[in-house]
Amino acid sequence: MANEQAESRRISVSDIQGQKDGRPIVCLTAYSKPMAQWLDPHVDLLLVGDSLAMVIYGMETTRGVTLDAMINHGVAVMRGSEHACVIVDLPHGTYEDSPGQAYASASRVVEETGVQGVKLEGGTDMGATIKHLVDKGIPVLGHIGLLPQKAENRGGFKIQGKDDKGWKRVMADAEAVAGAGAFAMVIEGTIEALAREITETVSIPTIGIGASPACDGQILVTDDALGLFSDFTPKFVKRFAELGDEIERAAKAYAEEVHDRRFPGLEHCFGVAKQEKD
Ligand code: KIV
């Protein structure tokens, strides 16, 4: 019974930390209650990522999403999840100015959603902020390498670490994030050898996206993996399903049945003799 209870409790950030060099950490994004329900039994960590700006709201970058929107989606995901560690992204403009600004945003996220922690983008520039949040009891998932919130200022979505200067910069970011007390870090869009070396160097788990199979875990944007977002498909995405095609097929079938008056059938109607139970 004690074991069953241990098995059924929610995964904590310490559990995630304990998976360094162990069983790979399985992570996906989720933005809604139904998606969280489908994914929750199969993943260690659900990220309410600010990728929802592009994937759900059709914005051109991740920078347009507000803290209130992230909190609303965090609440929805928590309603659908009982097993995974759930983390919410701090959106652009809500944490970069000062550790105090970051704490005000992060504490709202944690208090209003009940999630286990927050993710924020940055390395050496965010060390003091990460330390401040961790000291005040808010677990932080770091995010280094390609930083979507800053991509516009850095010449677009470019793979990081290709030259010596870039390699050293990302390595310094990794050390800063780990040294500041983050419980794990996402490494996005780096050359494979750099992500591998970071994973071997830092004491906290690395979670790769376009990084390396050597990372301690992997994350994908769920809508990419399921074929629900087709505006573009980065090289690092594997499509595990084509649900967009399936939705189109269902919408076409529905339209045909309504046009042909085959839907609704009498079995979908109320007050039809003898068939009705409620
Ligand atoms: O916003 C997001 O979905 C992310 C993942 C790509 C890691 O940050």
Side-chain angles (χ1 to χ4, degrees):
M1 186 63 188
N3 273 350
E4 271 173 37
Q5 271 169 359
E7 284 299 310
S8 66
R9 73 170 170 77
R10 190 183 280 284
I11 293 172
S12 67
V13 297
S14 312
D15 296 327
I16 299 289
Q17 251 184 322
Q19 286 182 239
K20 176 81 190 168
D21 299 326
R23 190 173 59 82
I25 305 160
V26 180
C27 316
L28 282 169
T29 61
Y31 318 121
S32 69
K33 178 187 170 188
M35 190 58 86
Q37 281 175 313
W38 284 314
L39 304 179
D40 189 64
H42 309 289
V43 301
D44 299 304
L45 187 146
L46 285 173
L47 173 68
V48 185
D50 61 358
S51 50
L52 65 81
M54 299 168 77
V55 176
I56 302 294
Y57 293 107
M59 296 174 186
E60 284 195 2
T61 73
T62 59
R63 291 162 69 107
V65 71
T66 64
L67 189 64
D68 284 339
M70 295 305 297
I71 289 172
N72 288 340
H73 285 278
V75 169
V77 167
M78 285 298 279
R79 284 192 190 119
S81 149
E82 55 185 33
H83 154 84
C85 178
V86 182
I87 300 295
V88 169
D89 257 337
L90 290 184
H92 168 71
T94 68
Y95 65 94
E96 304 91 331
D97 285 354
S98 67
Q101 183 203 28
Y103 179 68
S105 302
S107 53
R108 265 199 70 196
V109 168
V110 171
E111 278 161 25
E112 294 178 35
T113 64
V115 299
Q116 275 88 339
V118 296
K119 174 166 84 58
L120 56 83
E121 296 184 9
T124 52
D125 56 337
M126 283 295 130
T129 295
I130 295 172
K131 182 168 184 324
H132 185 67
L133 296 185
V134 174
D135 286 350
K136 286 192 159 274
I138 299 189
V140 177
L141 176 61
H143 185 154
I144 61 162
L146 195 163
L147 305 179
Q149 292 176 7
K150 299 186 173 82
E152 259 174 50
N153 308 338
R154 294 184 177 185
F157 286 77
K158 296 229 169 81
I159 296 307
Q160 306 289 304
K162 283 183 167 168
D163 58 15
D164 194 44
K165 194 171 155 216
W167 176 295
K168 284 188 177 135
R169 199 193 65 237
V170 180
M171 182 56 81
D173 285 341
E175 280 165 354
V177 167
F183 72 88
M185 71 180 79
V186 169
I187 306 177
E188 177 165 359
T190 65
I191 61 166
E192 192 276 331
L194 174 55
R196 188 157 23 90
E197 186 165 316
I198 292 170
T199 302
E200 285 163 7
T201 305
V202 298
S203 59
I204 59 172
T206 59
I207 298 169
I209 174 164
S212 166
C215 288
D216 299 296
Q218 300 295 329
I219 187 163
L220 281 177
V221 171
T222 297
D223 297 59
D224 285 338
L226 299 186
L228 286 168
F229 180 74
S230 322
D231 289 6
F232 55 88
T233 305
K235 173 184 162 81
F236 57 76
V237 169
K238 178 172 174 182
R239 293 280 192 107
F240 287 84
E242 293 295 347
L243 298 190
D245 293 348
E246 188 61 13
I247 290 169
E248 261 205 278
R249 191 203 56 71
K252 185 164 176 273
Y254 169 71
E256 281 170 4
E257 292 199 18
V258 171
H259 288 149
D260 299 349
R261 298 195 187 283
R262 281 184 287 132
F263 179 83
L266 289 181
E267 70 274 25
H268 304 116
C269 298
F270 300 97
V272 178
K274 302 258 186 254
Q275 288 187 8
E276 189 188 31
K277 286 219 173 89
D278 46 13

